[in-house]
Amino acid sequence: MNEVIEKTRELGELIQQSEEMKNVKNAEILQENDDKAQELLKEFNMQRMNLARDMQNNKISREDAMKKNNEAFDALLEKSETIKKYIDAKKDFDSLVNQVNQILNFYITGQDPNCTHDCSTCGGCH
């Protein structure tokens, strides 16, 4: 088997076994089994659909729809600790995956996405 493919599979297994992945899976299970959280998610999704419809019918501007959506999302997190824990765990997992992608991108392209080209911000290039 190609060594690159083999190492990629190993990386996938490591990600699958990571604390971040375990946390997001556990939080997802808790959220799925929380009736209150499921009801709140249904209400939130209905609000989003209504906002999209109103925006499409020019009853509300895109900016106002986004503002109302963000407010509804913040309210959702305040109403359910289960949903908040899932969102936090998902952010942590996504951050891990993004870091892996940035490292891969650096080794493929030679460009560090965090580089500002101002060495005073980091102490120099790699």
Side-chain angles (χ1 to χ4, degrees):
M1 180 185 299
N2 184 320
E3 185 177 0
V4 172
I5 300 301
E6 188 173 322
K7 295 294 183 185
T8 304
R9 288 179 189 207
E10 288 177 29
L11 176 60
E13 288 174 5
L14 287 172
I15 291 171
Q16 191 176 41
Q17 296 167 8
S18 71
E19 283 302 310
E20 292 85 352
M21 179 72 148
K22 290 175 187 173
N23 290 342
V24 80
K25 289 288 185 186
N26 289 336
E28 183 178 34
I29 290 167
L30 290 173
Q31 180 179 283
E32 287 173 354
N33 292 316
D34 183 331
D35 291 338
K36 178 185 173 192
Q38 290 304 304
E39 189 60 37
L40 289 168
L41 286 168
K42 285 179 189 175
E43 290 173 16
F44 175 72
N45 287 328
M46 184 62 71
Q47 286 175 320
R48 290 183 71 186
M49 288 186 340
N50 289 338
L51 284 172
R53 183 197 63 230
D54 288 349
M55 192 174 65
Q56 199 170 30
N57 292 332
N58 295 320
K59 291 182 179 179
I60 189 171
S61 71
R62 180 177 181 83
E63 294 78 22
D64 286 343
M66 289 175 61
K67 181 181 176 192
K68 287 181 184 256
N69 182 71
N70 290 341
E71 289 169 355
F73 184 75
D74 290 344
L76 175 71
L77 296 182
E78 286 181 24
K79 292 177 186 175
S80 174
E81 187 65 27
T82 304
I83 295 172
K84 184 177 182 332
K85 285 181 181 179
Y86 171 75
I87 295 297
D88 290 344
K90 182 78 169 93
K91 283 180 184 177
D92 290 344
F93 177 74
D94 289 346
S95 176
L96 172 66
V97 172
N98 286 334
Q99 288 175 11
V100 168
N101 285 333
Q102 287 178 353
I103 292 167
L104 287 173
N105 188 52
F106 172 74
Y107 281 96
I108 293 168
T109 66
Q111 295 179 342
D112 184 347
N114 298 315
C115 182
T116 63
H117 301 288
D118 175 4
C119 293
S120 68
T121 63
C122 69
C125 295
H126 300 284

